[in-house]
Amino acid sequence: MKIFIAELIGTFTLVLFGCGAAVLAGEFVGQLGIALAFGLSIVAMAYGIGPISGCHINPAVSFGAFVAGRLGMKDMFLYWAAQFVGALIAAGVLYMLASGKPGYDIAVNGLGQNGYDAGSPGGYSLAAGFVFEVVATFLFLVVILGSTAKNAPAGFAGISIGLTLAMIHIAGIQVTGVSVNPARSFGPAVFVGAEALTQLWLFIVAPLIGAGLAGFLATLNLTVSED
C-alpha cells in the first residue's frame, strides 16, 4: 500500500505540474519552462518518494526494471496501477483548474496531450513520433538504470534523471509533446478524447519498446560485470 500511494502521488505530481506548465503557463514559460517543469517534478519526487518506491512514476520505467531483473511481475503491475490512477486524477484536477479561466476549451486548448501528424505540436509524422519515443525512452532508461545501479554514486540519481527528462523535452516537445511515459499520456488523453485517445497506442507501445531494450541492455552489462 505504501508503494501504491507513493507511486500515485509521484505520477500525480509529474502530470499535474508537467502538463500544467504547458496548459496553464505555456504562453509565459515557453518550451524551456515546460521541459524544466517535467524535469524538476522528477527531481522533487525522487527525493520525496524515492526511499519508498524508487520513484518510477512511469510504466515504462517499471517495465524496464522488470526486464532488467530488478522488479518482479506482480510488483510491476502494482506500480502500473498506481501510475495510471495517479495520472488520471492529475488530468482531472488540471482540467478543473484550466476550466476556471474564461474561454478555455479542452477541444481547442487541450490538456497537454501527446500526438503525431495533426496532433503533433510541430506537425511531425507518425514514423517520426514513433522513432523519437522509442529512442528517447531507451536513453532515459539507460540513465535511470545506470544511475540507480549499486555501484553508481549515491544521492545523485534524482538530479541526473530529472535533467535527462528535461533535455528530452527540450528536444522533443515539438515532435510529440514528449511522452516517454504511458501513464503521462493516458491521463490527458482520457479527458481530451477524440484524436488524443485514438493516438494513445503509440505512447504506450513505443515507450515500452524503448524501455525493454534498455532493460535488456542492462542485463548484458550485469552479465559482463559478473564475469
Side-chain angles (χ1 to χ4, degrees):
M1 184 57 68
K2 288 182 179 180
I3 290 175
F4 183 91
I5 293 173
E7 285 294 306
L8 188 154
I9 292 173
T11 312
F12 174 89
T13 302
L14 176 71
V15 174
L16 179 63
F17 289 101
C19 295
V23 177
L24 305 176
E27 62 180 307
F28 304 105
V29 302
Q31 184 165 317
L32 179 59
I34 297 168
L36 288 175
F38 276 102
L40 292 174
S41 295
I42 288 287
V43 173
M45 288 297 101
Y47 296 104
I49 67 169
I52 300 172
S53 68
C55 188
H56 292 194
I57 62 177
N58 180 342
V61 173
S62 300
F63 181 65
F66 166 71
V67 174
R70 299 189 189 179
L71 189 70
M73 181 176 292
K74 181 179 178 181
D75 289 330
M76 181 182 71
F77 287 129
L78 173 67
Y79 276 73
W80 282 5
Q83 292 154 0
F84 280 108
V85 170
L88 191 61
I89 295 173
V93 172
L94 179 57
Y95 180 41
M96 180 188 70
L97 294 174
S99 299
K101 181 178 180 179
Y104 172 80
D105 183 345
I106 193 171
V108 176
N109 305 108
L111 208 62
Q113 70 272 15
N114 300 116
Y116 54 84
D117 290 337
S120 161
Y124 287 80
S125 68
L126 185 159
F130 192 90
V131 170
F132 173 79
E133 290 292 332
V134 170
V135 173
T137 310
F138 170 77
L139 295 175
F140 189 38
L141 265 291
V142 167
V143 173
I144 292 172
L145 294 172
S147 61
T148 57
K150 291 181 179 179
N151 59 349
F156 294 97
I159 297 173
S160 64
I161 295 168
L163 288 176
T164 301
L165 186 61
M167 174 187 71
I168 289 171
H169 277 78
I170 291 171
I173 283 179
Q174 290 301 311
V175 183
T176 62
V178 180
S179 172
V180 300
N181 183 337
R184 170 263 183 271
S185 299
F186 172 77
V190 168
F191 282 87
V192 175
E195 185 178 62
L197 205 53
T198 62
Q199 294 187 353
L200 179 61
W201 68 270
L202 185 147
F203 304 105
I204 295 175
V205 174
L208 291 180
I209 291 174
L213 291 173
F216 177 69
L217 179 65
T219 65
L220 296 179
N221 287 341
L222 179 61
T223 301
V224 171
S225 65
E226 288 180 343
D227 291 342

